[in-house]
Every structure is written in C-alpha cells, then in structure tokens.
Amino acid sequence: MYLTRFRVNTARREGRELLGSPHRMHAAVNMSFPEPPARDSTGPRVLWRVDRNSTSDVVLFVVSPGRPDMTHLVEQAGWPAATDTPGWQTYDYGGFLDRLTKGSTWSFRLTANPVHSIRRSADEPTKRTAHITPKHQAAWLLSRQDSAGFAIAETPPGKRVLEYGDELQLVVRDKKDLRFAKAAERRTVSLTTVTYDGRLTVTDPAVMRRTLVQGLGKAKAYGCGLMTLAPVR
C-alpha cells in the first residue's frame, strides 16, 4: 500500500477546474495507474481526499495498492516548470499499517458522506438522505467506530470548555453540498460531505487497517471515505 501527497496549484485554471468537480478529480486519480484500479469491496482500493488548508495550500491525498505516477497531474494542475519543487511524494503505507497497535492514540482526519436511509410511508422504497446537522453527522461516525476498529477519544473533564457537547475529541466542520455533472451518463450527482477532525484510539488493529485501506462510508469515488492518521502532538 502507498500514501501519496500532491499539492494542487490553485493559481492554474486546470487546478481549479479539478477541484470544482469530484468526477473529474476521480478520473484524474485513476489515470495515475497503468491498469484501472480494482473496486473490490473486500480488498484495498484507491481512495482520495482533498484538504483545503488555505486558498493556496490545497493538497490531494491518495491511498492505493499500487504506486501512482502523477506526471499528468503535475502537467495539468501542478508546477511543471519548477526544478526545486517535487511534483508529488509517495510513501510506503504498508509499513505504517503493520505498526498499528491496540490502544495507540492518533489524531485523525476524515472527509465523508454521512447518509441514512429513510422511508416516509410503508409502501415507499427507502431513500438515501444526507444528515444535515453537526449532531447527526457526529452520530453517524460514532455509530461506525466499533465496527471500524477505533474509538473516538474522550475529552478529560478538566479540559472541557462546554457544559454539554464537549465530551469527545471530535470536530465536525466544512459541510459542502456538491452538485456536478457526469457527462458520460448525462446526469447530475448531488451529495453532502463533511470533514471530521479529532483523536481516536485503536481498538482492533486488523479492523482499523481495513478501514484505512477500504474507506468509510459512501461516495468513495468522489473524495469521501479516506481517513488519515497523524501522531498526537
């Protein structure tokens, strides 16, 4: 497994166009591999996420079973003329995954598509609907933590700043309602994404590894589901 980091040049029109269409970004990521990435639901798959740290600091992260070649992305949305700026960085992810241990605590980030199925009447089919409030979006993640191999860390009582709602080290932010065209299928896709930041404790390393390489939730082709970990500072 590999983890790749690519910084998008937001001063270029092509870069902004990629960022404005998850469908186009999905296609650009897939073009980084000689063979079409497998979509086997039981094994590792290609996952990607865009982190917008500031207007000029926008980073594409990709987790993949094979090593990508992002030359086309550098030419399209990077700094192709720069000699002192690397186009992208790819790291061995398998070694990191193998070192995950039960009880270890990490900072994490996840962009996801928190949805649930509803039915307005008994004779209607179920319909997938996005959670729209931070409370329900947080509950969506919390309901999946046991089966995903982690537990969201609790905030020590002495460090809580609110009487209620500050019990867990979890922030839900950056809600986006996206609409974009899939030209080949002549239809418009609508989805809601949010970003989760916080701290977690690994409860089952094997299951946690599966979560990190298979993703969490729906809309993985459109930049959702990739969770990344970082050491706690």
Side-chain angles (χ1 to χ4, degrees):
M1 294 298 297
Y2 297 92
L3 172 66
T4 300
R5 182 183 188 275
F6 173 86
R7 186 177 173 195
V8 181
N9 188 346
T10 57
R12 300 185 65 182
R13 177 179 56 82
E14 297 93 335
R16 295 192 299 272
E17 289 177 350
L18 279 178
L19 294 172
S21 172
H23 179 57
R24 292 186 63 179
M25 183 66 82
H26 169 64
V29 169
N30 281 352
M31 288 175 62
S32 301
F33 305 94
E35 299 295 331
R39 299 185 64 179
D40 183 359
S41 61
T42 62
R45 59 174 293 163
V46 174
L47 302 168
W48 63 273
R49 186 185 77 223
V50 172
D51 285 5
R52 292 173 169 85
N53 302 313
S54 69
T55 302
S56 60
D57 184 12
V58 179
V59 180
L60 167 68
F61 288 96
V62 178
V63 165
S64 58
R67 180 184 288 273
D69 181 346
M70 294 190 167
T71 302
H72 66 294
L73 271 173
V74 174
E75 295 171 346
Q76 181 179 3
W79 284 266
T83 58
D84 57 348
T85 302
W88 70 91
Q89 301 83 39
T90 297
Y91 308 94
D92 173 24
Y93 202 39
F96 169 77
L97 296 173
D98 291 340
R99 293 192 296 272
L100 286 177
T101 58
K102 184 175 181 178
S104 59
T105 299
W106 302 86
S107 296
F108 76 91
R109 176 168 291 174
L110 165 72
T111 293
N113 170 226
V115 296
H116 62 129
S117 296
I118 62 172
R119 177 184 286 142
R120 290 176 295 183
S121 62
D123 57 349
E124 276 192 359
T126 58
K127 179 181 179 181
R128 187 180 296 169
T129 304
H131 289 297
I132 59 174
T133 67
K135 178 181 178 180
H136 289 100
Q137 291 160 353
W140 176 90
L141 180 61
L142 294 173
S143 70
R144 285 157 176 76
Q145 59 182 343
D146 291 341
S147 61
F150 65 87
I152 301 297
E154 294 185 359
T155 305
K159 294 187 177 181
R160 297 176 186 175
V161 297
L162 301 174
E163 184 176 0
Y164 302 106
D166 200 21
E167 297 85 2
L168 298 175
Q169 298 186 49
L170 176 65
V171 175
V172 183
R173 63 174 180 84
D174 202 23
K175 175 178 174 290
K176 295 182 182 299
D177 296 314
L178 305 176
R179 288 177 58 86
F180 52 92
K182 290 190 68 173
E185 300 178 15
R186 296 185 179 180
R187 68 185 181 94
T188 299
V189 177
S190 300
L191 69 137
T192 296
T193 68
V194 296
T195 296
Y196 301 88
D197 286 318
R199 290 185 178 180
L200 59 77
T201 299
V202 177
T203 57
D204 188 323
V207 176
M208 185 75 211
R209 293 183 194 107
R210 183 186 68 198
T211 298
L212 294 175
V213 301
Q214 293 186 6
L216 194 60
K218 305 293 185 182
K220 297 182 180 71
Y222 302 129
C224 297
L226 171 56
M227 175 183 282
T228 52
L229 305 181
V232 173
R233 297 179 179 178

